[in-house]
Amino acid sequence: MDIYYTIFDLQKAILVYRKQGASIGFVPTMGALHQGHLSLIKKAKQENDIVVCSIFVNPVQFNNKEDFEKYPHTENEDIQLLNQANCDLLFTPSEKEIYPDSTHNNFDFNFGDIDKVMEGKYRPGHFKGVAIVVKRLLEIVLPNKAYFGEKDFQQLAIVKVLAKQFFPTIDIVPCPIIREADGLAMSSRNMRLTIEERKVVSLIYKTLFEAKTKAQSNTVFDLKHWVEGEINAQPLMNLEYFEISDIETLKPIEKWVESQCVIACIAVFIGKVRLIDNIIIEKKNDANRGFKV
Ligand code: AMP
């Protein structure tokens, strides 16, 4: 795998492949790589001739300074994993390379309402920061396809809109959530959990999974109340939100009849570590049968 630190060198290398008619798949990450990231690389390898991965811990998407400062950096291990996954090109730019001046802040995005709820509501400025960096990286790499995990479902929805607005020829490819054996969604932030926290944190997925079944026989209100009780009963955990939203618009629903397919999204603090997860809840039929409306 070749490693590039500057836009100039990366684009020069990509151009050589482009001239040979190669298709380019792109996987943007913030590093501290795990099997979740590698599943994106694997899919990109299957669907493209050349795969570019970027590692850039994007300062402008962190609304919490400590979260940014404590974000794990594991460069050597990352390079090893990417080599094993047969990634072709790695782009690890400096902050100055991505943001040479402050003009990136001047851009205003319009994503309708999908960036106003859930993560958008609880992490002000986060999605603007995400949009800024994704736009910048897509402009630099100009891939045929770019890969994003459903673990960050709302981010994926926003990236799809962003691509439609600015890069209509780039395919945004969603990738399923990769989990640990106990169900915990893989995340770079899991490394920051203490042994004790790690033991109890599987409760997040367990609760989501049970909520999916309970959705068949509970109102939205009762289900939300039940999830809140389950999570907050664990002394090490603090629920930030649990929302049930239409899978397309991400608008939170109050009654099952409002949407045919919903996604249940959760954000939980375990000490100072904030984790998110989600599960899709599909209705089994058109008539809301089985769902308490
Ligand atoms: P990050 O490094 O956290 O910015 O993540 C880079 C990409 O990997 C994003 O598109 C994430 O949604 C995706 N990703 C992170 N964790 C997982 C996971 N457990 N399963 C699938 N995709 C993931």
Side-chain angles (χ1 to χ4, degrees), residues 113 139-140 180 192 203 217 230-231 259 270 272 283:
D113 287 334
E139 272 162 6
I140 293 167
E180 302 285 358
R192 292 183 50 205
L203 179 68
S217 54
E230 288 296 295
I231 298 291
S259 171
I270 303 97
K272 288 189 169 170
K283 289 184 187 171

Side-chain angles (χ1 to χ4, degrees), residues 152-164:
D152 302 280
F153 197 87
Q154 196 175 5
Q155 167 176 287
L156 168 65
I158 286 164
V159 169
K160 280 184 191 163
V161 178
L162 179 123
K164 222 178 205 171

Side-chain angles (χ1 to χ4, degrees), residues 14-164:
I14 291 176
L15 192 63
V16 173
Y17 289 114
R18 280 260 176 247
K19 282 187 175 158
Q20 295 166 3
S23 61
I24 311 284
F26 178 44
V27 179
T29 80
M30 298 206 295
L33 302 183
H34 49 66
Q35 292 302 319
H37 297 112
L38 296 182
S39 72
L40 273 56
I41 302 276
K42 193 170 163 200
K43 197 167 165 78
K45 278 298 287 184
Q46 284 164 355
E47 298 182 353
N48 301 274
D49 299 314
I50 294 294
V51 172
V52 181
C53 174
S54 66
I55 296 182
F56 178 63
V57 184
N58 175 35
V60 302
Q61 75 182 67
F62 285 82
N63 56 314
N64 177 326
K65 196 164 168 261
E66 191 181 342
D67 190 26
F68 175 61
E69 283 163 0
K70 296 241 167 95
Y71 202 84
H73 291 257
T74 57
E75 283 83 8
N76 293 339
E77 290 88 337
D78 289 354
I79 291 171
Q80 230 177 342
L81 287 171
L82 288 172
N83 268 320
Q84 285 165 12
N86 293 320
C87 180
D88 300 286
L89 279 66
L90 170 62
F91 181 43
T92 57
S94 65
E95 192 180 330
K96 225 39 252 106
E97 188 70 15
I98 295 295
Y99 304 126
D101 51 41
S102 61
T103 51
H104 57 272
N105 274 320
N106 302 344
F107 205 86
D108 270 329
F109 295 92
N110 183 355
F111 299 122
D113 287 334
I114 57 169
D115 61 341
K116 311 275 186 302
V117 293
M118 298 189 288
E119 292 299 282
K121 181 169 158 194
Y122 288 91
R123 299 184 68 188
H126 168 63
F127 282 131
K128 181 173 181 186
V130 169
I132 288 170
V133 80
V134 172
K135 182 168 176 282
R136 184 96 178 95
L137 290 169
L138 290 179
E139 272 162 6
I140 293 167
V141 179
L142 276 180
N144 298 79
K145 297 182 179 196
Y147 296 78
F148 291 84
E150 288 178 343
K151 150 93 170 27
D152 302 280
F153 197 87
Q154 196 175 5
Q155 167 176 287
L156 168 65
I158 286 164
V159 169
K160 280 184 191 163
V161 178
L162 179 123
K164 222 178 205 171

Side-chain angles (χ1 to χ4, degrees), residues 250-264:
L250 296 189
K251 189 172 175 279
I253 62 160
E254 287 176 5
K255 290 185 190 304
W256 296 115
V257 283
E258 289 170 39
S259 171
Q260 194 51 42
C261 185
V262 298
I263 182 148

Side-chain angles (χ1 to χ4, degrees), residues 189-204:
R189 288 184 175 87
N190 294 351
M191 286 181 201
R192 292 183 50 205
L193 298 170
T194 63
I195 293 172
E196 199 186 351
E197 288 167 347
R198 177 62 191 84
K199 275 186 198 152
V200 298
V201 84
S202 60
L203 179 68
I204 299 174

